[in-house]
Amino acid sequence: MAVRAVRGAVQLERDEAGHMDEQVGALLTAVLERNSLGADDLISIWFTATPDLHSDFPAAAARKLGIVDVPLICAQELDIAGAMPRVVRILAHVETDQARADITHVYLGAAAALRRDIAQ
């Protein structure tokens, strides 16, 4: 079993707590499904949000999915001129037998433009 990192991001349409829960929940679900992972495989998840998101903590969506015994942390992205607005990113550390090259990084919707090199 190896420790691997899985990246992902989603762009929100608006800064509302319910919408954030829905979109971040969809991102986390996609990351787990596309990598054949369960909540027990998670070690920790880092969430970042662009400075224009204020409605809720992205980690709250994970708790609502039942991810309750995994360390989660939220931080603010750098405020870079011209950066894509309303984006939540994740960096999940997982235990898996998959090779690093086989990990599927998930960028949903418009966020796919952020990392065309690794988005699958």
Side-chain angles (χ1 to χ4, degrees):
M1 197 66 72
V3 173
R4 301 285 182 221
V6 185
R7 295 278 318 264
V10 64
Q11 184 183 39
L12 306 183
E13 294 174 16
R14 59 194 174 277
D15 184 22
E16 295 175 1
H19 182 61
M20 182 179 291
D21 284 345
E22 176 185 296
Q23 295 299 304
V24 174
L27 175 61
L28 291 170
T29 298
V31 164
L32 293 174
E33 288 177 356
R34 294 181 193 182
N35 289 287
S36 301
L37 299 168
D40 289 342
D41 299 316
L42 293 168
I43 296 169
S44 64
I45 305 173
W46 282 81
F47 295 86
T48 64
T50 50
D52 52 1
L53 294 174
H54 307 280
S55 62
D56 203 357
F57 293 99
R63 299 293 183 221
K64 290 175 183 168
L65 286 178
I67 301 171
V68 296
D69 62 348
V70 174
L72 309 175
I73 191 164
C74 297
Q76 189 175 77
E77 280 288 330
L78 296 173
D79 191 9
I80 304 297
M84 184 180 287
R86 300 175 318 279
V87 174
V88 174
R89 292 173 173 86
I90 66 163
L91 175 63
H93 298 96
V94 302
E95 290 181 312
T96 181
D97 290 325
Q98 293 185 64
R100 183 178 299 153
D102 295 332
I103 295 295
T104 300
H105 304 282
V106 179
Y107 290 77
L108 299 180
L114 295 171
R115 290 298 308 262
R116 293 189 194 279
D117 59 323
I118 64 171
Q120 299 172 351

